[in-house]
Amino acid sequence: RKCRMVAKCCGKICTCRLCHDAVENHAIDRYATEHMVCMCCGTLQPVGQMCNNPSCGSEMARYYCHVCKLWDDDERHNIYHCHSCNVCRVGKGLGVDNIHCMKCNACIRIEHFKSHRCIERVLESDCPICHQNLFFSTVPIKYLHCGHLMHTECYLQYSKRSMKCPLCQKSLEDMSIYFARLDVILAGEKRMPSAYQTAECKLRCNDCNQASNAPFHFLYNKCPKCNSYNTQVLSVDPNAGDRHR
């Protein structure tokens, strides 16, 4: 960009809203911004895409949003303004590579739109890992299998230690391949200790939310309803199998 914005809240001149918020004790109201300073000629003037100084006339940026007061001159960036979100989003545009979901109040990639799970106003929340606001996030966001969101970088770090959503405990991704591997491993495993060979447990599945009874294992307990191993053991009956005989 070739301009700096004048914050209406305090009158200070800053390169962008993030620069302002990083050094001030208050957040800028980007929508209220009315003036800018051309960095080519130094002229103070109303916001716009072009410098209104006749002797200058420089283009402030390749992309300019008159609503968000956003200037971006990086040719690698594709940006569009979503009137439903009322902010600028990364992408080529609505109907091109993104669709706005009115229930989620979020822009979603076209290829993921039909399969995504709607959670009302899901974007109007904080990342459950870093607790930073998601709606105005300037970094990529990851849509989890359950419909909740977190920053992509937070997801990459969190998924190294857990594959459960920190909000609802459902599996972060489609775990069917991993669960099938557990089936193979457990099938070839030695039998449980004699005291637990007929044991059963009452469990609740985090993925299908169903309660059921299943053979007990010290580590892996499979839901008989949906075949998920993402379960919670509620109680154990060591002699259940004997009573069924």
Side-chain angles (χ1 to χ4, degrees):
R1 67 183 65 188
K2 298 177 182 177
C3 66
R4 291 186 292 170
M5 57 198 303
V6 181
K8 190 171 183 179
C9 51
C10 58
K12 293 184 178 180
I13 299 174
C14 52
T15 305
C16 71
R17 67 178 183 89
L18 299 177
C19 296
H20 173 278
D21 293 353
V23 298
E24 300 297 333
N25 60 3
H26 60 278
I28 194 173
D29 181 357
R30 65 162 80 177
Y31 304 106
T33 304
E34 297 177 346
H35 293 89
M36 67 179 187
V37 175
C38 175
M39 296 172 70
C40 297
C41 67
T43 302
L44 175 66
Q45 57 192 286
V47 294
Q49 188 165 12
M50 307 296 293
C51 175
N52 66 4
N53 182 351
S55 62
C56 179
S58 298
E59 183 180 63
M60 299 295 95
R62 182 179 62 89
Y63 175 86
Y64 167 67
C65 175
H66 69 280
V67 177
C68 296
K69 309 305 189 297
L70 172 67
W71 294 263
D72 190 288
D73 208 28
D74 193 328
E75 294 182 354
R76 299 170 298 176
H77 294 171
N78 289 311
I79 306 174
Y80 69 95
H81 181 83
C82 174
H83 291 285
S84 296
C85 289
N86 201 35
V87 294
C88 289
R89 299 295 189 196
V90 175
K92 295 180 180 179
L94 294 175
V96 181
D97 58 358
N98 284 274
I99 297 177
H100 183 86
C101 175
M102 297 304 293
K103 183 175 181 180
C104 295
N105 193 28
C107 288
I108 298 172
R109 297 283 298 182
I110 284 181
E111 60 267 30
H112 302 312
F113 187 79
K114 289 185 178 180
S115 61
H116 89 282
R117 297 188 180 186
C118 283
I119 297 180
E120 191 168 358
R121 309 180 82 85
V122 65
L123 199 59
E124 298 176 30
S125 59
D126 295 339
C127 172
I129 306 303
C130 69
H131 307 295
Q132 297 298 310
N133 183 265
L134 290 169
F135 191 83
F136 294 110
S137 177
T138 58
V139 296
I141 292 174
K142 171 74 173 180
Y143 280 78
L144 307 182
H145 192 61
C146 58
H148 289 116
L149 312 176
M150 65 174 66
H151 292 120
T152 300
E153 183 58 34
C154 292
Y155 168 82
L156 293 175
Q157 298 302 317
Y158 176 77
S159 61
K160 292 178 181 178
R161 63 180 186 272
S162 178
M163 287 305 293
K164 297 179 183 180
C165 171
L167 298 176
C168 66
Q169 297 299 298
K170 293 185 182 296
S171 298
L172 291 179
E173 298 286 354
D174 180 357
M175 302 292 288
S176 56
I177 295 178
Y178 173 70
F179 292 154
R181 290 175 182 172
L182 286 180
D183 285 339
V184 174
I185 292 172
L186 295 177
E189 192 180 62
K190 293 182 179 180
R191 298 181 68 184
M192 292 280 284
S194 57
Y196 287 92
Q197 285 183 6
T198 61
E200 288 187 358
C201 64
K202 183 176 182 180
L203 57 79
R204 176 168 292 279
C205 179
N206 291 324
D207 285 335
C208 70
N209 292 323
Q210 298 293 312
S212 57
N213 294 318
F216 174 70
H217 190 275
F218 291 127
L219 296 177
Y220 305 109
N221 293 282
K222 183 177 182 178
C223 172
K225 306 286 186 181
C226 70
N227 298 323
S228 170
Y229 282 94
N230 180 12
T231 59
Q232 305 174 57
V233 174
L234 304 178
S235 62
V236 178
D237 184 350
N239 303 311
D242 294 333
R243 287 196 294 273
H244 295 332
R245 293 176 181 175

